[in-house]
Amino acid sequence: MKEISCKLLVIGAGPGGYICAIRAGQLGVDTVIVEAGKPGGTCLNVGCIPSKALIHAAEEFEKVAHMAGGKSPLGISVSAPVLDLGKTIAWKDGIVSRLNSGVAGLLKKAGVKTVHGWAMFRDGKTVEVETETGSQVIRAETIVIATGSAPVELPFLPFGGPVISSTEALALSVVPKKLAVVGGGYIGLELGMAFAKMGAEVTVVEALPRVLAQYDAELTRPVVKRLAALGVEVMTEAKAKGLSTKGDALLVETADGKNTKVSADKILVTVGRKPVTEGWGLDQIDLDMSGKFIRIDDQCRTSMRGIFAIGDVTGEPMLAHRAMAQGEMVAEIVAGHKRNWDKRAIPAVCFTDPELVTVGLSPEEAKAQGEIKIGLFPFAANGRAMTKLGEDGFVRVVARADNHLVLGIQAVGQGVSELSAAFGLALEMGARLEDIAGTIHAHPTQGEGFQEAALKALGHALHI
């Protein structure tokens, strides 16, 4: 049995883990990272990146189909398009492969040793890794747990056959004729809308009174409108009950208590994600938990000295960029730097059509803290949005009434994910309404909506 020692051991090469290892390597820390799969974790391999590739392909296909139907106001006419999903998936896989290689190269460049296999804790300083060439024991001064999360499986709809998770949905070779989506959160709607654009007949089954319940109703209204335009049937206050005997339909209890069947070739279950806390020897160490997550402090330290935890395994929000920021911070702490988690806000993006962006407090959350000002600017009054056929949506700014400190920013619209950096920067730097209103925004851009929303909150909007 081989044995190696290092100063830092990172378990999991997802966004949090590989960033932690790379930064530690840059700082001269002797670092080893262990990963059973390909570098990049869920996000790169079966999550963020491949889903956005599929969403983009669906958008392009729908644009051409719209033109073929003679409905384009741009005056463009083409023949009816044909989608070869196999080629689309191969293109997506090519992007993932390039990024896999890129991460592996960055780890090597930083001097990080990569061990391929599954890590199991022996104690708080030692893990055993089953590799292709046998067992490898790794002893480390400090260990970072970055094991990530996995799709939640429903006991009455276990994955297999027609029942799939987002992982399998991103690897389908043909577009399902009929797709049932269980769960109307961001994953279900992102993929459901994409498959609807590619020609699938999509039904969304959501147990709550409305889809995207984590966002306020005003923000999600344009998405609900778009779902209807795409022909997606949305069943709210409806509960999935299981698979039909023949396996060709989803059994559903409707809002009025009646039982019905939703015909489906595939049933996509997207009811959330759970932390991966099993299978790597959690029982061999003594970590305090916060529910199903590992409890951490503002430096990502666990209850055991010398063990940190980052990313999805530590709780909400389960976002890759949160894990990355945590990983970078932990690497610097291990290297002796003074760091702690003092982020004001973490942007969240939902890649539906139109897209959603939120950062900081919602209007309701802000109201609970005191009197506020709200400025909302519609993209229907934005020249760039008009030229992109993207007039649905708006930018909204929420600020304190007394000193105009910005507490939250939200947007819904075509391509607004790219505004998330500006929104996050504004909150991180403690911007006031006057700071945003006084910043010159390039014309014509959708970003002007950000400035106009601040002006509206101040009482002197210029373009509405």
Side-chain angles (χ1 to χ4, degrees), residues 216-455:
D216 64 85
E218 184 179 35
L219 197 63
T220 60
R221 196 168 292 120
V223 179
V224 173
K225 177 183 174 183
R226 184 69 170 125
L227 284 165
L230 288 170
V232 176
E233 181 182 358
V234 178
M235 301 173 67
T236 54
E237 296 184 276
K239 298 177 181 177
K241 307 296 287 186
L243 192 62
S244 65
T245 305
K246 293 182 180 179
D248 60 352
L250 174 67
L251 305 178
V252 178
E253 181 183 320
T254 60
D256 56 7
K258 295 180 180 179
N259 293 320
T260 188
K261 290 183 179 180
V262 175
S263 297
D265 305 302
K266 296 291 182 183
I267 298 170
L268 172 59
V269 178
T270 58
V271 293
R273 296 184 65 82
K274 60 182 180 180
V276 178
T277 54
E278 297 180 0
W280 44 262
L282 181 60
D283 55 332
Q284 298 300 310
I285 52 178
D286 186 22
L287 296 182
D288 288 349
M289 305 296 287
S290 179
K292 57 188 176 180
F293 301 104
I294 297 174
R295 185 173 66 80
I296 56 172
D297 65 10
D298 65 355
Q299 291 184 315
C300 292
R301 297 180 189 274
T302 69
S303 57
M304 285 188 71
R305 183 177 297 177
I307 298 182
F308 294 79
I310 61 176
D312 290 3
V313 77
T314 65
E316 298 288 352
M318 289 188 178
L319 297 170
H321 42 285
R322 168 180 175 262
M324 289 174 166
Q326 288 178 323
E328 181 186 21
M329 178 187 72
V330 169
E332 295 189 357
I333 290 171
V334 173
H337 297 199
K338 290 184 178 181
R339 288 288 308 274
N340 69 308
W341 188 260
D342 61 352
K343 304 298 180 186
R344 279 179 175 266
I346 305 171
V349 180
C350 179
F351 291 87
T352 45
D353 180 11
E355 295 175 346
L356 298 167
V357 175
T358 64
V359 59
L361 302 182
S362 69
E364 288 303 314
E365 290 170 334
K367 282 178 186 175
Q369 296 186 4
E371 191 176 348
I372 61 171
K373 286 181 175 290
I374 297 176
L376 186 151
F377 186 81
F379 283 124
N382 177 266
R384 183 60 177 140
M386 292 179 188
T387 65
K388 294 172 63 180
L389 301 177
E391 296 181 37
D392 282 343
F394 56 83
V395 179
R396 185 176 64 197
V397 178
V398 182
R400 285 177 51 161
D402 55 357
N403 61 7
H404 298 174
L405 179 70
V406 177
L407 302 174
I409 310 162
Q410 302 85 33
V412 54
Q414 187 184 105
V416 294
S417 58
E418 295 303 325
L419 296 179
S420 62
F423 294 172
L425 183 64
L427 260 75
E428 191 67 28
M429 298 192 72
R432 286 173 165 72
L433 291 173
E434 289 83 357
D435 296 318
I436 298 168
T439 299
I440 297 176
H441 288 65
H443 175 77
T445 64
Q446 287 180 256
E448 290 176 274
F450 186 23
Q451 180 185 29
E452 289 282 356
L455 287 166

